[in-house]
Amino acid sequence: IKNAIEKAWNYFPKWNVLTISERITIIKNFANLLESNQERLLEICTLEAGKTINDSINDIREAIDFCYYYASEAKNLFSNPKKLKGPTGEINELHYEGRGIYFTISPWNFPIAIFVGQIVGPLLSGNTVIAKPAEQTSIAAYEVVKLLFKAGLPSGSLQLLLGDGKKIGDIVIEDTRIKGVMFTGSNDTAKYIQNKISQREGEIISFTAETGGPNVMIVDSSALTEQVVDDAIESGFGATGQRCSALRIMAIQEEVFDRTIKMLSGALQKIQIGDPRILATDIGPVIDEKARNRINNHIRKNQNK
């Protein structure tokens, strides 16, 4: 871990002075490689993360979109300095540059998209990156990083750390050479990281956290029932319900309650649960035994009420 920090810190000045056009070229090469290696990445997503083929395709497409979106934004920000007003006749210009090392912590539910998005943004901005993917999808992260290096990314600009999140995170975050942290995951882990950052000496660094929460759908009598059912199933059970935007609660107007529930129950009977490698499968497995036990405990608890 310390070796990774050392490498990233030593290479930062070289990566930061690279022109934005050179950095964009690398990332666009990488986007093309994601496209041309889609079948291999699909295989990994289904086998390692248990994602259906359709969900895996969406995951890869989103990663490619991130590459082009961040490249476009970086070009606007970094190509030309912004002229500021000079009230006393002086010349003022605003330049953007990298800050140092960014530490990115990505989840298993989007092993390609979020992993890629968290890395590409800081890299295009001139920062070096230490990437820590979820333990459950380490192989997906490893394959993606190989494609980044194949696209021309210098090895010093990106370090991949695989292993226990807390052990790695505690060491990396304490190091004052880390200038920013990006995290996607649970609220509890985000709070833990926030507290670790606040205990550091030195400047205040950026912490970007995307966490989950209850997603509620409110259904009134003006809603088309067929559309409600389609959206509820897509939100509640897409990606096996394992994403922060998954539907948790439906609040249905009394006048349309029975009709909505009847149609929703019928549609749920048509959902195919099984092997995610089979194209007809709608819902694959949850990520691991711990997740399965948590879901079963929740069901038992609510059945007893």
Side-chain angles (χ1 to χ4, degrees), residues 16 23 76-78 80-82 94-98 125:
N16 192 35
R23 294 201 292 264
N76 291 335
L77 283 173
F78 290 86
N80 299 303
K82 184 178 180 181
L94 176 62
H95 296 257
Y96 289 97
E97 63 176 24
S125 303

Side-chain angles (χ1 to χ4, degrees), residues 21 34 53 116 127 144 146 148 150-151 159 226 232 247-248:
S21 61
L34 287 174
I53 292 173
V116 166
N127 302 284
V144 167
K146 286 199 292 185
L148 269 163
K150 188 176 180 180
Q159 309 299 313
E226 291 84 353
L247 179 62
R248 268 44 168 211

Side-chain angles (χ1 to χ4, degrees), residues 63-76:
I64 295 168
D65 288 345
F66 275 140
C67 292
Y68 288 115
Y69 171 73
Y70 287 134
S72 175
E73 291 297 299
K75 185 177 181 180
N76 291 335

Side-chain angles (χ1 to χ4, degrees), residues 1 4-5 8 101-106 114-116 118-120 122-123 128-134 138 141-142 144-145 148-149 153 157-163 168-169 172 178 180 182:
I1 298 169
I5 298 172
I101 306 173
Y102 263 69
F103 182 39
T104 65
I105 309 162
S106 56
I114 295 179
F115 180 72
V116 166
Q118 287 182 342
I119 290 173
V120 167
L123 282 177
T128 51
V129 174
I130 294 175
K132 166 62 186 76
S138 295
Y142 173 63
V144 167
V145 168
L148 269 163
F149 292 148
L153 186 73
S157 59
L158 174 62
Q159 309 299 313
L160 177 66
L161 292 179
L162 304 178
I168 293 172
V172 175
I178 304 300
M182 301 180 73

